[in-house]
Structure formats: structure tokens, C-alpha cells
């Protein structure tokens, strides 16, 4: 680059550039001073005014200068704006993809927002170069993806001509060819320009003034004899003097939290301490804090600083999809897209829309409270049959009239009308912080402009959303402390680096890790393509980072604090950024001596007294600090968690709920309520029972799994036997199996249709082709089971199914109140009863007797033994079998039966006689009840100590850190 002068500081570069602009103005009558951003125009204009040389010097950005020149010397076409650029790039890409699809040709490009951004960036930087590209002789041709991008750019250029627009890069090329600005004196101050812009600047004989922190220091650079630590560090940075290293004195400090959980608390404490050290009697100190993500830093630190009387502000930018309204709007339109494309009344048409509805409901723009949104989310998750229409009705049910109009407008595709309604609602909010409200209103305005322009260009809402996420929205937040003791301004490193020297009392530089500030950035796709086109202008990003870092140090007049986490979220060691290592080198006498730095902190031993650190051991304290003295934990008491072994006496009645029951003898007793499955779970492991049956640690989503399949199968089998009985068939026999299978098929299909409308979490509702295949498989399994059942207990017939007990009249078992349902009871002509419990599968754990056990042992599965006692006492029948049968795997059968009354081969289809048969059947039932009573007495005392019956007990337990599991 010709006519280039470099300076070590922004002040020196500004002074030289302004002086040269004034000279050119005196020679030519006017001059132009180009600066990189609009904020810089304000700063430079103030400098010119202070020097008294501002008249006749136009201070503008390169884009504004090109726009002015094009308006004077260009043709009638208007320059394309950023919104039009993205939308037209999207339209050109769609047209190209359609052409490739019609020609059945592979395109090589994907229809993604990133592809649209790639096309737009290349067009902005070098459209004329791309349109005129011809491969050099002997050069390798562009790959198919790059050629496809060029094809899209040809279409993009045609769209520009169609709408009377031109690209900024094309305007630069035309102005350069015409020599339209050759007589204008142009000075560029620290501007990053493209190759095409440089061609135009060359016609104006532009002179470049840039900041280079690595350049030789000017004569006025600080760092001489008696200089302060900060001045000495600024002078030595990137030019360390190892014979006379900088001596630490406390003006430069370090903060090294062990990890992300410790960083907020440590940083708040250090900021408070810095503010106290820099406090003056007349003014509160103003501190600057740089962060890789300023908005995230604000969210983590603001509450703690505010509690200490320190005001906090952040000035940054974010993309549309990072704003609250952006996320809510994109979720709502994704939901509305399902309104257009999905059948409202077909729950099997898709369920992904429910997550979009929930995302919008939980946003501040859904016009409902968090509790209502969570209620709707639970309803949608707990019922697989919810349709899109149901979700929309629920949304509108919580909304007022004008809000219903907003949702109706979105559902009908009237997006501009909907945006106008939401804009008015947000503008009327008086409880929202003003900065937050302004950010959301800005996002709404961006959406309005994008959708309106998309309509004009013949594009739909989806096309607008594809590019809307890239639109930049300013983020300005401010929290003013009542007892204002200091002010902290949060921004990116580059923004603080452009401030004037000594603009802040103190500067805090955060996130100084190699991950946040890598030594070298990889080239992006747009850079690689521009390089292939010969229009790439290399940028030394490390040099730019060094300049910003040096300028940020220069912005402090009192203290500097440098922060980096020692470990990342995965506890892996974080490497320090090269920026931090180069600063530390200024304190070293021998950079080749590894013993000269602290092993953990990587700073010289002389700097260690000025290092603050904090571990992650007390995560709760780190995350819940109130920002008090030293950012200590809040006023709440530190509670030590007790081992999960026994409930406190006051908690026992809430877990094992007592109930007064009057017995037949007139006595009144206090008994606790249990279900047979709850008893079985407590015997399996007390803590597992406590977690699942009392804490309710179940999933929130309706499950297409064992519970839904089991309940449905129970209903089908129950209705099968009811219809057979109504038809005069006492049971399924080998002779009537065909009739039974026909009835089974009819009931299966009838109940399957009813399931689609049943609002319950256990409703069997398929949502995909694979779900339907699973239901067909269940039907075949039930058909095989019915055929197998024809030979089961041939002397018995079904007496009842789903027999309830314990609802109206209390039923006492093993010292507790029992409530439940018996799946099925079969009886014979002699008053004998067989209790049958349906299971999906029956394994060895369902046997009543444990093989190789020393003495009698309580079985793992006791439900049928409990049911047999219920039938014995409630109905006066004599139970002779308490068995489990597998409806999914016919032939699997286990439990307990009476050897004196039943034969294992002829009556019970080959049940294991040794593990399931007993000559003292009724005595075994009583013995089982007595053993259960002893165990439940522990539950009544509040004993919930982890005690898994075996390794399989922990398989489905929700407590992952249980002592019993880890033993």
C-alpha cells in the first residue's frame, strides 16, 4: 500500500491524519478524512474542532464517502442497502437451486443462511471482479462450489439491474474507471478497505495513516526513568527490555479464577476492590471492562456489582436471533409454518411444532405468565395427541383481545400487521427497563423492514427469516445503583481500544485465553473464494489484536486488571492468550528461563502477590453471591445436606401419609396408604420408592413406551373377555380361537381410535411410521397370546377384570391401607380362584421362591401374592394361583400356585414347579404378608436408606449419585 504511515498510538495517528487533511484542504479547497466507524467520526470531529481546523474537512466512513461520490458522479441507480443485499442474494440462490433441480443437475450449494451470507459478502467486496473473472492461463479452475457461487452472483447482478440497484463494489469500480474523485484530497485513518475500494482510493491519491502497536515508539512515549508501572509497561509492550524489566507495583493486577463457576464472584470482588482503591472524594471512578462476549459478561456480573453500589452498562451489538424478541418471533413463525403445512386434526402429522410453541409461550411476548406457559408446556408434553390447533387455542385462551388479534394475524400470514400490534404493546410497557425495551423495539423494527421489503421483492416469510437472523441489533443495557460508588462500562476489546488515552480510571481485560483470542484466525469461506478470484486483501488479525490490546492498556490512567480462567467447562487447562504472554514477558529478565514464571499462574514470582484467584469448590456460593464485601456469599445460611437415610420426624407424615380407619371391632387405628406396586418398589429399594413415588421424579413427556402399551393391552384383553362372555363363550378355548381372534381384532381397532382422543399421558398415540409399526407388532403379539391362553387354566373362566379395591371401603394388608386393581381373576366351579397379572415380559425374578436361597426369602415380585389375599378376604374365594403371564411373549409364566390343586403342565402351560409351586399355598400368602409388614414398618418410621435388592434394582432408578448404586 502506497502513501502509508504507521504510528504506535491512535492519538498520534489521529494527530498526523488531521494535520495532513488540513494541509490538503488548504491546497485543494476541501479534503476528506475517512474513519472506520460512525463513532470515530464523532471523536475525530471533536479533535479537529479542538485544533481549530475542522472547517472544510469532511469526516466520513468509506461507505458514506462512496455513497456521496456515487450520488454526484454515478448513474441513476441506487446503492443496494444491507437488507436488499441479503434478500436479493437469497432470491438469486433460490432461483439457481430451482434451475439445477429442473435440469436434474447437482448444484453443490446448500439452501442455508450461511450460503446466502457468503453470496452477499462476496458481492459487497468484489462483485465486478467476480463477474469478470477469467482463470489465468495454466491456473487451476475453480471448484464446482465456487463456480456455483459465481452463477448465483450472475443472477444477483441481474436482479440488481431489474430493481434499479447497484452494488457498492460495482460503484467503486465505475467511479475508479471514470476518475470521478481524482481531484479530491483523501486521508484514510485506520480504515480496513477492500481491494476494489483501494482502486478508487488510488485514483484520489489517498494517504493512509494506521495504528501499529508494534511500530517503534515516538519520542514522547512514556517509560523513562521514574515512570510508573503502567507507563513502563506501555513503553515496553512488544519491545521488552530484558536488561531492565518492568517492576510490579500493584498498578497491574491479575485475576485467575479456577473455572467459569468461580469467575463471576472473583471478578465482582476485584472490581469492588479496584473501585475502592481508585475512589476520589469528588468523583466516582469509571472503570472499563472488555469481554469476548460483552452481553454475557453483563448478565453474569451486573447483579453482583449492583448490590455493591456499582452501576453497570454494556454497549455492544447482537444479531436479531440473539434478542429476546428475535428468538420469540422465529419460534412463533416456525409454529405458524406448521399451521400452513400440517393437518390440524391429525396428531400423527408431526410433533416438532410443540417445541416452537413452548419457546414462544415462555418468552415475554406471549402475553402470559411463566406459570401459564409452563402449564401449557406440560399439557403439550403430557399428551401426544395434542394438535397444532389445540396449541393455538391454548395460546389465544390466555390472551386479551388485542393479543388474540396478534396471534390471528400471524396464523393468517399477516405478519406486518402482527408486528405493528406487538410494537404498540411493547412500547406501552412501563415496567420494562428502558434500555431493554428499546432493544426489543429495535428488533421489531428490523423485522418489520425485512418482511416489508421481502414482500416487495416477491419473497415469503421463510426467506425473510433466513436472512433476518444476520441483521445486527444494538444492545445497550444500563443498571444504575442507588448508592452510586462507581461505574463499569462493558464492551469488546476493540471498542475500548479506540478510546482516547487515559479515558478510564481503571481497565479490566477479561477472557485472555487462547480460545477467546487465538493466535491466528482460519480463513473463512468468503476469504478463500476472494483469494481464488484475486480480490482477497490479507489481514494480519494478530497485529490488529495487539493494537487493540495496547490501546486498551493506554485507556487506563490508574490500574489494569487482567483475567483468564485457568480451566474450561470440561476442567481442561486453558492456555493463556498470546496477548497476555507478551505482556508478562515485559516483567521477565530471561524469557528462556522456565523457572522465572509461576508454574500455575504463568507470571513471574514478583507478580504473584498481585494475583487473585478463587476455586470452584463452593459452586453454590460462587453462583449465589450478593456482591457484599469481597463478593462473599449472601445472608442465607449454609445448609449441610444430610445422608439420604432417614426422614425427619416432622417429614414422615408428609411422606407416609397416615389415615384414621375404624375396624369392624370398633377400634380406630392410624394406617398409611400404599399401592401393591408401591410396596413392591419399596421392597426393591426404599430410596428408589421415595424418589419415584414420593418425590415424583418422573419424566414430563408423554411416553410411547411400556406404560402406554401395557394399559392399552390390558384394555384390549379386558374387552375381549367381556364380549366373549356376552356372546355366551365362557372363555377362550382351542375350538373358539378363530372367533376370539376376530373379536380381538375388532376391539383392538376400536380402542386404538379411542386412544387418539384420550387426553392422558399414557394414551397410545403414534406420531410416526415406526410408531405405527410398533402398534401392529403389539397386535400380532396379542393374537399369539390369545391362542396360547386357550390352554391356560382350562377348568377356569374369567370372573372379572380390573377389579378395584380400597376406594370406598378401606382394605388393610400388612399393617397398611391398600388400594389398587387386580388385572384379572379366573374361577372354577368349586370356588377356587386364580389371580392373573399381565406383564410385557416375565423373567426369573417373578418366581416366588428364590433358587439356592438359604431358608425362606421374600420374593422380588409380590403383587399377585397381595392380590390373592385381596380376593381371599374381599370375595371369600379360595385362591390357588397368583401368577404373572407375558402378553408380549406367550409362554412366559411365573408366580405361585397350589400344587394340590393345579398341575404345572396341564393347567399352567409348563410353569417352573420348583420355583413357583407350593403345597402350602395359603400359608405362603400369609408368610409373605408378615414379611412385607416387617419391611413396611421401616417405611412408616421414615426409613428410606438406599438398599437395592440386587444390581438390577438400580437400572431404572432416577437417583444417579446414590450410595447404594455406587457401593
Amino acid at each position: 500500500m502506497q502513501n502509508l504511515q504507521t504510528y504506535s498510538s491512535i492519538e498520534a495517528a489521529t494527530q498526523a491524519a488531521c494535520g495532513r487533511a488540513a494541509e490538503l484542504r488548504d491546497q485543494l479547497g476541501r479534503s476528506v478524512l475517512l474513519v472506520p466507524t460512525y463513532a470515530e467520526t464523532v471523536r475525530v470531529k471533536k479533535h479537529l474542532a479542538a485544533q481549530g481546523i475542522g472547517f472544510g474537512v469532511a469526516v466520513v466512513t468509506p461507505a458514506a464517502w462512496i455513497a456521496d461520490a456515487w450520488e454526484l458522479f454515478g448513474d441513476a441507480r441506487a446503492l443496494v442497502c444491507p437488507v436488499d443485499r441479503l434478500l436479493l442474494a437469497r432470491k438469486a440462490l433460490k432461483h439457481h437451486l430451482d434451475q439445477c433441480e429442473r435440469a436434474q443437475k447437482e448444484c453443490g450449494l446448500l439452501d442455508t443462511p450461511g450460503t446466502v451470507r457468503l453470496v452477499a459478502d462476496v458481492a459487497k467486496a468484489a462483485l465486478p471482479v467476480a463477474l469478470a473473472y477469467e482463470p489465468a492461463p495454466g491456473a487451476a479452475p475453480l471448484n464446482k462450489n465456487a463456480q456455483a457461487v459465481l452463477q448465483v452472483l450472475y443472477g444477483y447482478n441481474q436482479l440488481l439491474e431489474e430493481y434499479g440497484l447497484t452494488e457498492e463494489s460495482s460503484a467503486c469500480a465505475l467511479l475508479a474507471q471514470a476518475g470521478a474523485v481524482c481531484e479530491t484530497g483523501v486521508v484514510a485513518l485506520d480504515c480496513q478497505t477492500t481491494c476494489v475500494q483501494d482502486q478508487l482510493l488510488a485514483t484520489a491519491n489517498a494517504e493512509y495513516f494506521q495504528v501499529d502497536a508494534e511500530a517503534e515508539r515516538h519520542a514522547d512515549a512514556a517509560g523513562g526513568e521514574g515512570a510508573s508501572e503502567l507507563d513502563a509497561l506501555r513503553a515496553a509492550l512488544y519491545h521488552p527490555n530484558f536488561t531492565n524489566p518492568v517492576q510490579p507495583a500493584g498498578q497491574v493486577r491479575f485475576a485467575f479464577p479456577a473455572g467459569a463457576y468461580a469467575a463471576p464472584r472473583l471478578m465482582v470482588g476485584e472490581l469492588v476492590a479496584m473501585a475502592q482503591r481508585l475512589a476520589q472524594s469528588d468523583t466516582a471512578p469509571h472503570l472499563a471492562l472488555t469481554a469476548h462476549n460483552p452481553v454475557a459478561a453483563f448478565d453474569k456480573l451486573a447483579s453482583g456489582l449492583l448490590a455493591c453500589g456499582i452501576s453497570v452498562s454494556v454497549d455492544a451489538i447482537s444479531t436479531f436471533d440473539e434478542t429476546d424478541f428475535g428468538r420469540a418471533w422465529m419460534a412463533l413463525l416456525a409454529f405458524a409454518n406448521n399451521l400452513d403445512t400440517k393437518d390440524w386434526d391429525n396428531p400423527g402429522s408431526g410433533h416438532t411444532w410443540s417445541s416452537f410453541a413452548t419457546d414462544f409461550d415462555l418468552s415475554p411476548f406471549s402475553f402470559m405468565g411463566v406459570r401459564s406457559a409452563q402449564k401449557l408446556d406440560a399439557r403439550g408434553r403430557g399428551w401426544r395427541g395434542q394438535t397444532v390447533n389445540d396449541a393455538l387455542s391454548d395460546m389465544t385462551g390466555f390472551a386479551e383481545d388485542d393479543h388474540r388479534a396478534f396471534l390471528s394475524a400471524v396464523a393468517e400470514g399477516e405478519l406486518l400487521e402482527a408486528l405493528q400490534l406487538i410494537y404498540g404493546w411493547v412500547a406501552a410497557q412501563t415496567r420494562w427497563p428502558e434500555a431493554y425495551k428499546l432493544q426489543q423495539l429495535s428488533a421489531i423494527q428490523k423485522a418489520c423492514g425485512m418482511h416489508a421489503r421481502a414482500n416487495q421483492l416477491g419473497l415469503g416469510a421463510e426467506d425473510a427469516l433466513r436472512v433476518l437472523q444476520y441483521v445486527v441489533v444494538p444492545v445497550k443495557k444500563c443498571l444504575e445503583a442507588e448508592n452510586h460508588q462507581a461505574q463499569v462500562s462493558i464492551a469488546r476489546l476493540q471498542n475500548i481500544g479506540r478510546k482516547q488515552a487515559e479515558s478510564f480510571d481503571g481497565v479490566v481485560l477479561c477472557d485472555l485465553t487462547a480460545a477467546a483470542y487465538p493466535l491466528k484466525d482460519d480463513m473463512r469461506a468468503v476469504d478463500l473464494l476472494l483469494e481464488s478470484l484475486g480480490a482477497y486483501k490479507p489481514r494480519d488479525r494478530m497485529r490488529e489484536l495487539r493494537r487493540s490490546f495496547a490501546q486498551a492498556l493506554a485507556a487506563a490512567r490508574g490500574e489494569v486488571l487482567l483475567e483468564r480462567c485457568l480451566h474450561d467447562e470440561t476442567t481442561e487447562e486453558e492456555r493463556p492468550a498470546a496477548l497476555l504472554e507478551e505482556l508478562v514477558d515485559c516483567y521477565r529478565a530471561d524469557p528462556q528461563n522456565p523457572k522465572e514464571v509461576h508454574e500455575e499462574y504463568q507470571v513471574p514470582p514478583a507478580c504473584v502477590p498481585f494475583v487473585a484467584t478463587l476455586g470452584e469448590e463452593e459452586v453454590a456460593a460462587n453462583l449465589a453471591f450478593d456482591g457484599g464485601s469481597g463478593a462473599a456469599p449472601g445472608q442465607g445460611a449454609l445448609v449441610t445436606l444430610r445422608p439420604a437415610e432417614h426422614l425427619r420426624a416432622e417429614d414422615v407424615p408428609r411422606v407416609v401419609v397416615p389415615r384414621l380407619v375404624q375396624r369392624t371391632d370398633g377400634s380406630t387405628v392410624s394406617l398409611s396408604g400404599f399401592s401393591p406396586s408401591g410396596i413392591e418398589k419399596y421392597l426393591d429399594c426404599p430410596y428408589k420408592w421415595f424418589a419415584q413415588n414420593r418425590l415424583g421424579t418422573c419424566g414430563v413427556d408423554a411416553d410411547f413406551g411400556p406404560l402406554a402399551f401395557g394399559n392399552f393391552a390390558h384394555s384390549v384383553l379386558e374387552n375381549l373377555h367381556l364380549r366373549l362372555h356376552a356372546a355366551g363363550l365362557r372363555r377362550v378355548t382351542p375350538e373358539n380361537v378363530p372367533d376370539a381372534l376376530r373379536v380381538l381384532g375388532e376391539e383392538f381397532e376400536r380402542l386404538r381410535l379411542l386412544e387418539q382422543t384420550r387426553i392422558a399421558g399414557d394414551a397410545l398415540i403414534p406420531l410416526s411410521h415406526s410408531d405405527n409399526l410398533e402398534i401392529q407388532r403389539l397386535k400380532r403379539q396379542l393374537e399369539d397370546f390369545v391362542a396360547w391362553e386357550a390352554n391356560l387354566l382350562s377348568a377356569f373362566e374369567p370372573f372379572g377384570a380390573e377389579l378395584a379395591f380400597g376406594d370406598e371401603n378401606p382394605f388393610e394388608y400388612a399393617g397398611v391401607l391398600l388400594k389398587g386393581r387386580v388385572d384379572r381373576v379366573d374361577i372354577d366351579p368349586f370356588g377356587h380362584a386364580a389371580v392373573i397379572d399381565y406383564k410385557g415380559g416375565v423373567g426369573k425374578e417373578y418366581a416366588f421362591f428364590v433358587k439356592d436361597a438359604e431358608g425362606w426369602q421374600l420374593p422380588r415380585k409380590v403383587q399377585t401374592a397381595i392380590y390373592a389375599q385381596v380376593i381371599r378376604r374381599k370375595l371369600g374365594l379360595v385362591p390357588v394361583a397368583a401368577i404373572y403371564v407375558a402378553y408380549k411373549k406367550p409362554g412366559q409364566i411365573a408366580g405361585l400356585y397350589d400344587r394340590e390343586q393345579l398341575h404345572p403342565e396341564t393347567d399352567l402351560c409348563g410353569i417352573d414347579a420348583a420355583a413357583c409351586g407350593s403345597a402350602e399355598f395359603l400359608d405362603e400368602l400369609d408368610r409373605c404378608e408378615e414379611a412385607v409388614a416387617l419391611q413396611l414398618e421401616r417405611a412408616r418410621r421414615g426409613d428410606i436408606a438406599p438398599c437395592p435388592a440386587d444390581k438390577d434394582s438400580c437400572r431404572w432408578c432416577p437417583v444417579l449419585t446414590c450410595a447404594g448404586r455406587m457401593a
Side-chain angles (χ1 to χ4, degrees):
M1 183 183 295
Q2 298 178 350
N3 301 325
L4 173 62
Q5 300 182 47
T6 59
Y7 295 83
S8 61
S9 67
I10 187 66
E11 291 78 11
T14 301
Q15 181 73 27
C18 290
R20 182 54 182 160
E23 292 177 3
L24 292 173
R25 176 205 56 196
D26 296 338
Q27 297 173 10
L28 303 175
R30 65 182 301 271
S31 63
V32 175
L33 181 55
L34 302 180
V35 292
T37 64
Y38 176 77
E40 281 292 281
T41 65
V42 177
R43 184 184 68 84
V44 174
K45 285 180 179 179
K46 289 181 178 180
H47 180 86
L48 288 169
Q51 298 294 322
I53 54 175
F55 293 104
V57 179
V59 183
V60 294
T61 62
W65 175 65
I66 294 169
D68 291 341
W70 180 254
E71 186 175 354
L72 289 174
F73 306 109
D75 53 33
R77 292 178 296 171
L79 290 178
V80 64
C81 67
V83 170
D84 285 357
R85 179 182 294 116
L86 288 170
L87 288 173
L88 292 177
R90 166 69 179 161
K91 190 170 185 177
L93 176 62
K94 285 183 61 178
H95 179 68
H96 178 73
L97 294 174
D98 291 341
Q99 284 184 326
C100 291
E101 185 177 356
R102 286 195 297 268
Q104 297 183 348
K105 183 177 66 173
E106 184 179 356
C107 173
L109 297 180
L110 299 177
D111 185 11
T112 64
T115 306
V116 175
R117 184 64 180 268
L118 171 65
V119 172
D121 287 347
V122 175
K124 179 182 179 182
L127 180 60
V129 178
L131 298 178
Y133 173 75
E134 290 289 342
L142 297 177
N143 61 40
K144 64 177 183 179
N145 292 346
Q147 292 176 7
V149 173
L150 292 184
Q151 293 296 323
V152 176
L153 288 170
Y154 294 147
Y156 172 78
N157 189 58
Q158 292 175 356
L159 289 174
L160 289 178
E161 294 178 356
E162 178 182 343
Y163 290 102
L165 300 172
T166 190
E167 186 56 73
E168 180 184 286
S169 56
S170 298
C172 285
L174 292 174
L175 290 171
Q177 292 174 6
V181 294
C182 60
E183 296 183 357
T184 303
V186 179
V187 175
L189 172 60
D190 212 26
C191 293
Q192 296 294 336
T193 54
T194 65
C195 289
V196 178
Q197 290 174 341
D198 286 340
Q199 293 176 5
L200 178 60
L201 289 169
T203 64
N205 297 317
E207 301 179 26
Y208 297 86
F209 293 78
Q210 288 191 353
V211 179
D212 185 358
E214 300 174 55
E216 291 298 329
R217 300 297 193 268
H218 287 246
D220 59 349
E225 188 71 22
S228 67
E229 180 187 3
L230 263 181
D231 291 335
L233 179 62
R234 291 164 186 154
L237 190 63
Y238 312 131
H239 300 277
N241 184 354
F242 299 119
T243 60
N244 185 25
V246 178
Q247 298 301 315
Q251 282 187 303
V252 178
R253 295 173 179 267
F254 303 87
F256 296 145
Y261 291 120
R265 182 181 172 200
L266 176 63
M267 292 309 299
V268 168
E270 289 301 300
L271 284 165
V272 170
M274 178 183 284
Q276 292 173 349
R277 287 193 297 267
L278 298 176
Q280 300 178 2
S281 59
D282 52 345
T283 59
H286 188 184
L287 312 179
L289 185 145
T290 72
H292 189 63
N293 187 335
V295 178
F298 177 89
D299 294 337
K300 292 177 181 179
L301 302 176
S303 60
L305 292 172
L306 201 65
C308 298
I310 298 179
S311 302
V312 194
S313 64
V314 62
D315 188 355
I317 59 174
S318 65
T319 54
F320 177 82
D321 60 346
E322 292 175 339
T323 64
D324 284 351
F325 176 77
R327 286 189 291 268
W329 182 247
M330 297 181 78
L332 182 59
L333 289 197
F335 169 74
N337 183 56
N338 287 277
L339 296 177
D340 297 332
T341 59
K342 302 295 184 184
D343 181 5
W344 284 2
D345 299 320
N346 180 12
S349 61
H351 199 60
T352 56
W353 50 263
S354 62
S355 61
F356 298 131
T358 299
D359 288 345
F360 176 74
D361 290 342
L362 289 171
S363 75
F365 308 92
S366 63
F367 326 120
M368 65 180 73
V370 174
R371 181 174 297 180
S372 299
Q374 291 174 341
K375 181 179 179 181
L376 294 186
D377 180 43
R379 170 184 166 87
R381 287 175 175 271
W383 178 35
R384 287 168 60 90
Q386 186 186 43
T387 64
V388 185
N389 195 26
D390 295 328
L392 181 63
S393 298
D394 289 339
M395 283 184 187
T396 55
F398 282 90
E400 299 176 359
D401 292 340
D402 54 343
H403 301 154
R404 291 194 186 98
F406 164 74
L407 293 174
S408 299
V410 172
E412 295 170 3
E414 300 295 336
L415 301 185
L416 291 177
E417 178 183 348
L419 287 168
Q420 292 173 356
L421 289 171
I422 194 70
Y423 186 92
W425 182 83
V426 172
Q429 296 303 306
T430 58
R431 297 184 179 181
W432 288 10
E434 193 64 25
Y436 175 80
K437 184 168 71 173
L438 290 175
Q439 181 190 7
Q440 307 312 313
L441 290 175
S442 177
I444 297 173
Q445 289 177 328
K446 299 285 187 181
C448 279
M450 185 66 74
H451 285 290
R453 189 55 175 158
N455 290 341
Q456 295 173 0
L457 298 177
L459 296 171
E462 181 183 358
D463 300 305
L465 280 183
R466 287 292 184 102
V467 298
L468 185 57
Q469 59 183 297
Y470 287 118
V471 173
V472 172
V473 178
V475 179
K476 293 186 178 181
K477 298 181 180 180
C478 182
L479 293 177
E480 291 288 344
E482 294 183 3
N483 183 19
H484 182 80
Q485 300 178 10
Q487 169 74 35
V488 174
S489 298
I490 305 176
R492 290 181 63 85
L493 176 65
Q494 292 81 349
N495 294 346
I496 298 298
R498 301 203 69 85
K499 299 293 184 180
Q500 292 183 354
E502 300 187 353
S503 299
F504 302 96
D505 295 288
V507 172
V508 181
L509 304 170
C510 296
D511 306 322
L512 295 178
T513 64
Y517 297 103
L519 189 63
K520 179 181 178 182
D521 287 344
D522 294 332
M523 293 183 67
R524 303 171 299 162
V526 62
D527 297 330
L528 294 172
L529 182 54
L530 290 175
E531 185 178 44
S532 300
L533 298 176
Y536 176 63
K537 184 177 180 181
R539 293 177 58 184
D540 191 340
R541 291 184 172 83
M542 189 58 201
R543 186 176 290 270
E544 295 173 10
L545 279 177
R546 284 170 171 163
R547 182 193 63 192
S548 298
F549 185 72
Q551 291 300 122
L553 290 176
R557 58 176 168 266
E559 284 188 16
V560 168
L561 176 67
L562 303 114
E563 181 266 350
R564 77 169 177 95
C565 284
L566 300 179
H567 302 88
D568 62 13
E569 292 80 358
T570 63
T571 71
E572 291 293 328
E573 183 181 359
E574 283 273 25
R575 295 299 305 162
L579 299 171
L580 180 58
E581 290 182 321
E582 290 175 331
L583 180 141
V584 169
D585 284 343
C586 298
Y587 291 89
R588 301 179 62 181
D590 183 4
Q592 304 301 322
N593 182 9
K595 296 183 179 180
E596 198 180 8
V597 295
H598 189 276
E599 182 177 357
E600 182 178 8
Y601 301 145
Q602 297 297 304
V603 298
C607 295
V608 172
F610 305 105
V611 172
T613 187
L614 182 66
E616 291 186 305
E617 295 83 3
E618 298 183 7
V619 175
N622 289 342
L623 297 180
F625 69 90
D626 69 349
S629 177
Q635 300 300 319
L638 184 63
V639 178
T640 302
L641 295 179
R642 295 177 293 104
E645 295 180 356
H646 201 283
L647 295 170
R648 293 179 299 186
E650 59 268 28
D651 292 332
V652 172
R654 295 189 295 177
V655 177
V656 190
V657 183
R659 178 181 171 189
L660 294 178
V661 179
Q662 187 172 12
R663 289 175 171 169
T664 54
D665 60 1
S667 62
T668 301
V669 294
S670 175
L671 300 176
S672 305
F674 275 84
S675 66
S677 62
I679 291 176
E680 200 169 78
K681 198 169 293 180
Y682 185 86
L683 300 179
D684 203 25
C685 177
Y687 200 60
K688 178 180 179 180
W689 164 82
F690 174 70
Q692 292 183 334
N693 286 46
R694 289 301 182 260
L695 296 182
T697 54
C698 58
V700 296
D701 294 321
D703 186 21
F704 191 73
L707 179 61
F709 277 88
N711 291 344
F712 180 75
H714 280 56
S715 299
V716 171
L717 294 174
E718 177 187 3
N719 282 273
L720 165 67
H721 291 290
L722 287 175
R723 284 192 55 181
L724 290 178
H725 188 270
L729 301 176
R730 67 182 187 88
R731 56 164 291 137
V732 179
T733 64
E735 293 76 22
N736 64 21
V737 165
D739 292 333
L741 292 179
R742 175 183 56 80
V743 175
L744 175 75
E746 293 174 357
E747 288 301 311
F748 190 97
E749 295 302 327
R750 184 180 69 84
L751 293 174
R752 179 180 178 178
L753 293 176
L754 289 177
E755 286 290 287
Q756 312 306 306
T757 60
R758 191 164 66 90
I759 303 178
D762 63 344
L764 190 68
I765 301 176
L767 298 177
S768 64
H769 179 64
S770 61
D771 289 350
N772 283 312
L773 292 178
E774 284 295 315
I775 290 180
Q776 292 301 321
R777 181 185 178 190
L778 175 63
K779 184 178 181 181
R780 294 191 298 270
Q781 291 170 335
L782 290 178
E783 290 172 346
D784 295 340
F785 174 77
V786 170
W788 173 83
E789 183 190 1
N791 298 309
L792 177 69
L793 296 169
S794 57
F796 289 71
E797 64 180 76
F799 170 75
E802 301 298 327
L803 298 177
F805 60 90
D807 288 323
E808 298 180 359
N809 299 318
F811 182 82
E812 186 177 343
Y813 175 87
V816 299
L817 291 178
L818 201 63
K819 181 178 179 181
R821 289 175 178 271
V822 184
D823 286 355
R824 176 176 159 187
V825 177
D826 286 15
I827 61 173
D828 69 358
F830 307 103
H832 297 142
V835 173
I836 299 175
D837 194 68
Y838 297 126
K839 298 294 181 183
V842 175
K844 61 180 181 179
E845 69 273 13
Y846 285 87
F848 191 83
F849 297 104
V850 180
K851 292 185 178 180
D852 301 328
E854 296 182 1
W856 191 89
Q857 183 174 330
L858 186 65
R860 284 286 307 278
K861 304 295 181 181
V862 297
Q863 284 193 59
T864 54
I866 295 174
Y867 294 146
Q869 292 287 61
V870 173
I871 298 304
R872 182 182 181 185
R873 297 174 189 168
K874 295 286 290 186
L875 302 181
L877 298 173
V878 180
V880 294
I883 58 175
Y884 305 93
V885 294
Y887 62 84
K888 286 188 175 182
K889 298 178 180 179
Q892 290 186 354
I893 179 173
L896 178 67
Y897 72 93
D898 191 341
R899 288 181 178 177
E900 302 296 327
Q901 300 294 331
L902 301 175
H903 191 276
E905 297 295 335
T906 59
D907 293 319
L908 296 174
C909 301
I911 194 173
D912 188 342
C916 302
S918 174
E920 301 175 345
F921 181 83
L922 297 180
D923 292 339
E924 293 292 349
L925 297 181
D926 293 337
R927 185 183 301 179
C928 179
E929 182 174 0
E930 292 172 0
V932 170
L934 292 176
Q935 296 296 322
L936 293 184
E937 181 60 31
R938 295 170 49 210
R940 297 179 64 182
R941 295 195 306 266
D943 186 355
I944 57 171
C947 185
D950 56 33
K951 62 180 180 180
D952 292 333
S953 301
C954 301
R955 181 176 299 175
W956 307 112
C957 181
V959 185
L960 301 180
T961 57
C962 168
R965 180 194 291 267
M966 301 170 67

